[in-house]
Amino acid sequence: DVGVLMAEKIRQLPTRCQYAIKLLACVGSKCNKSVIKMIMPEEEGLHDEQVGKKRKISDTSDDLFSMLNFAVDEGILQKDLENYMFAHDQIQLAAYSLIPENERGPMHKLIGNLILTSASDNEENDVLFLVVNQLNRGIAFIHE
């Protein structure tokens, strides 16, 4: 099965690269660099709601994109000027399947909240549908 083979290939990547690919799989088949910066903050790290601790993703923006470029070199991602995209839809599905089902909702909620709080006034219209989509997918984990 192609999905199993691709999931195994992703598992062989460095841990931070795997995490980034899983986040991208949650976002969709294509993701703009500005959105990637929003969901993978450089200084603060991401808060992992499942285990309640900070997870440092990258030290610099260059480090973040060099990590993603590693996935490009491995044939998992492709990139154009401003976007990273999965090389094939089966790769995205394989990456998403690596996220335990009980962590998917919280991950979507986290992504939606990160984009919502990170987007500038100029970016809000561009990311509105993405934020709504992510929060809808994580709605079971939204508490008042």
Side-chain angles (χ1 to χ4, degrees):
D1 181 54
V2 175
V4 173
L5 291 173
M6 292 314 305
E8 200 52 46
K9 185 172 183 173
I10 293 167
R11 279 191 196 104
Q12 294 174 5
L13 297 173
T15 304
R16 293 183 325 161
C17 191
Q18 289 180 47
Y19 189 73
I21 289 170
K22 290 175 188 178
L23 285 173
L24 292 177
C26 287
V27 171
S29 61
K30 184 176 187 176
C31 191
N32 186 282
K33 286 182 178 182
S34 65
V35 172
I36 293 170
K37 287 180 185 179
M38 288 181 218
I39 64 175
M40 292 185 256
E42 296 169 19
E43 296 300 321
E44 300 87 18
L46 283 179
H47 185 266
D48 187 334
E49 293 181 356
Q50 292 300 309
V51 293
K53 62 183 177 183
K54 292 272 187 172
R55 187 181 297 194
K56 186 82 169 178
I57 297 301
S58 70
D59 298 319
T60 66
S61 183
D62 290 340
D63 185 41
L64 168 63
F65 291 115
S66 66
M67 175 183 56
L68 292 174
N69 289 336
F70 183 77
V72 170
D73 293 342
E74 292 295 313
I76 292 170
L77 299 176
Q78 296 176 340
K79 76 173 189 175
D80 60 23
L81 293 175
E82 292 298 317
N83 299 292
Y84 283 87
M85 63 218 75
F86 285 93
H88 193 278
D89 61 340
Q90 290 296 315
I91 298 172
Q92 180 191 359
L93 293 173
Y96 195 73
S97 75
L98 292 174
I99 305 166
E101 284 188 39
N102 65 327
E103 293 180 18
R104 292 177 187 171
M107 193 172 248
H108 285 291
K109 176 188 166 208
L110 175 65
I111 291 168
N113 284 328
L114 285 170
I115 296 170
L116 185 62
T117 58
S118 301
S120 68
D121 291 342
N122 295 339
E123 295 170 315
E124 282 180 353
N125 287 335
D126 296 334
V127 298
L128 181 62
F129 289 109
L130 178 57
V131 169
V132 169
N133 181 5
Q134 293 300 309
L135 293 177
N136 278 339
R137 294 178 79 178
I139 199 161
F141 299 93
I142 297 174
H143 307 288
E144 292 185 43

